[in-house]
Amino acid sequence: MNDFSRNAGSGGGQGSGRGGGKGRNKGGAFGPGGYCVCAKCGEKVPHQQGVKCTTIKCPNCGQTMVREELLNK
């Protein structure tokens, strides 16, 4: 038996990394309400459930919109 086969599979497997690995907002959504806001001109439009704000262009200036909660951080 070599050293590799003797030690194979004997680790605890938990690791010591930081964070939960879920990204922004702990992996959750911001909910159905709220607004999409233009970071350039400040135009606000109501958020539509199931539609990401980043897929919407500002009706005023054409810039990509972002979720209001992300601007207020």
Side-chain angles (χ1 to χ4, degrees):
M1 182 181 310
N2 62 29
D3 287 338
F4 292 113
S5 62
R6 191 173 349 161
N7 293 327
S10 63
Q14 282 297 330
S16 61
R18 295 167 66 181
K22 294 188 178 184
R24 287 188 185 138
N25 197 26
K26 307 261 189 268
F30 290 110
Y35 290 91
C36 298
V37 181
C38 177
K40 184 175 181 183
C41 73
E43 180 76 18
K44 276 177 134 179
V45 296
H47 177 259
Q48 299 171 16
Q49 187 172 0
V51 180
K52 292 182 179 182
C53 290
T54 55
T55 64
I56 301 170
K57 298 292 183 186
C58 175
N60 191 38
C61 71
Q63 185 74 22
T64 301
M65 307 285 273
V66 294
R67 191 67 187 247
E68 182 177 39
E69 290 86 349
L70 295 176
L71 285 180
N72 294 334
K73 286 191 171 197

